[in-house]
Amino acid sequence: MPDGALPDIASLDADGLSRALGDLGQPAFRQRQLIAWLYARAVDGFESMSDLPSALRSALAERYSLVLPEPAEVRHSSDGTRKYLWKLADGVLVESVGIPVGDRLTVCFSTQAGCAMGCTFCATGKGGFVRNLTPGEMVWQVVLVAREFGTRASNAVAMGQGEPFNNYDATLGALRLMNSKSGPEIGARHLTVSTCGVIPGIQRLSTEPEQFTLAVSLHSAVQATRDRIMPGVRRWPLDELQQALVDYTQRTGRRPTLEFALIAGVNDTPGEVAALVDFARGWMSHVNVIPMNPVVGAPGQRPGDASVAAVAEALSAAGIETSVRTERGADIEAACGQLTQRHRPSAG
Ligand code: SF4
C-alpha cells in the first residue's frame, strides 16, 4: 500500500468487515448491509449505500478505499462465452470468463494476478507471479461478469489465473462472500476451487464446514510427464496426491473432479491413458477430459476427436465417471492467461 493510501475494503473477508464495523461501534446487522452493497449490488462508493447512516458512510470513506475493477477489454465468442480483462485499483490486469449454458451462468475467476506454478501449457504460467488477489477482487469478477450478462451467476469456479491454494485464506474468504445470503448467494456446491495439486490446500479444504467443490488439474498421471508440464507441483508426487484425494473423499463424502486437458502426443498416448485409469480407478473420482485450446507460443496441439473419444472410452470401460467438456471460447483465446499476455508488452 503506498504511503498515505487507505486500506482497500476489498481486502477484508466477512469476519474482517464485521471487525471493521465493530471498531466503528456498529451493531452486527450492519455487516449484512455492507456485504449487500459491496457484493450483491457492487456500488462504486460508500456514499451510494443509502440504508447506512450518513455518519457511517463518511467514517468508512475516511478509512477505506473502494475501487471496483474496470473492464479493460471484453471479447465475445460465437458460442456465447465472454472473456473479460479487468484493470484492478493498482492497474494490475486479471481475467475472468463467463460461460452461459441454458439459463445458468458459470463465471471462471482469477485468484492471483499471474502465477508462480509455471505450467508449460498455460499462458499465465509463462508470465510469472504478480500478486495475490483480495477476497473482494475475486467476488467482484463474478458479480460484474454476471451484471454484464444481465443475470446472476449460478456457479463460480476458481480456475482463472493463479493457484488458489497459494492464496488460500483470500480464496476461502471470497467463496464465503459469494455463498453469503447478503452477497451473490451462490450455493456452496456450485463454488469450485481448482488446484494444480497443492496437497496441503486439499487437506485444509477437507476440514472446512462448507460443501465447496474441489477440482484438480491432473493433466498427466505419469510422474515424468507431470514434472515436465507442471513443474510447480513436483514436490507433491502423484502417489501422495492420489492418497490425499482418497482421504478427501472419505472425510467429505464429496467427489473431486480430475481435470485432464488433452495435449496431442503429450498425454494422449496409450501409456498415459493407462496411467490415468490407474490413478482414477477404485475411488470416488470424476475425470473431465478437455481437448486443449492451443496457446500462442506454448507447445502442444489439440488432439483429434478420435483420440478424445478413445480416452473417454478407456476411462468409462474401467468404471470411472467421465465427462468430455465441450471446448468453449476458442475463438476468443479463453484459455487462462491468453488475454493478459497480449496486453503485457514484456511477455514473450
Ligand atoms: S495452469 Fe493454473 S496453476 Fe498452472 S501456471 Fe496456469 S494459472 Fe498457474
Side-chain angles (χ1 to χ4, degrees), residues 47-228:
E47 66 283 1
S48 305
M49 302 180 176
S50 55
D51 61 359
L52 299 187
S54 74
L56 174 57
R57 284 182 257 161
S58 303
L60 288 168
E62 281 163 18
R63 287 167 178 77
Y64 298 98
S65 66
L66 193 181
V67 183
L68 293 183
E70 277 178 28
E73 185 173 343
V74 184
R75 304 185 83 188
H76 292 231
S77 166
S78 54
D79 65 15
T81 300
R82 295 181 201 167
K83 177 149 187 164
Y84 300 80
L85 184 69
W86 300 108
K87 190 172 166 195
L88 303 180
D90 59 355
V92 161
L93 298 170
V94 294
E95 296 174 17
S96 326
V97 180
I99 307 157
V101 180
D103 59 358
R104 291 182 301 127
L105 175 69
T106 297
V107 180
C108 174
F109 64 96
S110 297
T111 55
Q112 299 180 307
C115 183
M117 302 310 271
C119 303
T120 55
F121 50 84
C122 166
T124 304
K126 279 161 56 99
F129 176 69
V130 179
R131 73 163 169 87
N132 282 329
L133 300 194
T134 64
E137 287 170 336
M138 295 181 217
V139 185
W140 276 330
Q141 292 173 61
V142 174
V143 175
L144 296 176
V145 167
R147 176 184 287 177
E148 212 262 338
F149 269 89
T151 185
R152 64 177 292 276
S154 58
N155 299 67
V157 190
M159 204 184 274
Q161 292 166 275
E163 163 51 55
F165 289 153
N166 285 354
N167 188 16
Y168 188 100
D169 290 336
T171 300
L172 255 283
L175 295 179
R176 289 190 171 130
L177 286 166
M178 291 179 203
N179 184 225
S180 162
K181 282 193 173 20
S182 315
E185 204 182 353
I186 302 171
R189 289 176 195 199
H190 297 154
L191 294 167
T192 300
V193 186
S194 178
T195 175
C196 60
V198 176
I199 289 176
I202 294 169
Q203 291 167 332
R204 208 172 145 191
L205 189 71
S206 75
T207 67
E208 304 291 356
E210 296 91 349
Q211 305 225 312
F212 298 133
T213 297
L214 174 67
V216 176
S217 298
L218 186 64
H219 306 325
S220 177
V222 173
Q223 192 67 57
T225 310
R226 195 165 143 91
D227 286 352
R228 191 172 72 248

Side-chain angles (χ1 to χ4, degrees), residues 263-288:
I263 310 167
V266 175
N267 61 3
D268 64 344
T269 61
E272 288 281 341
V273 177
L276 171 60
V277 167
D278 273 353
F279 187 91
R281 179 163 38 199
W283 55 283
M284 209 167 71
S285 68
H286 173 106
V287 177
N288 192 16

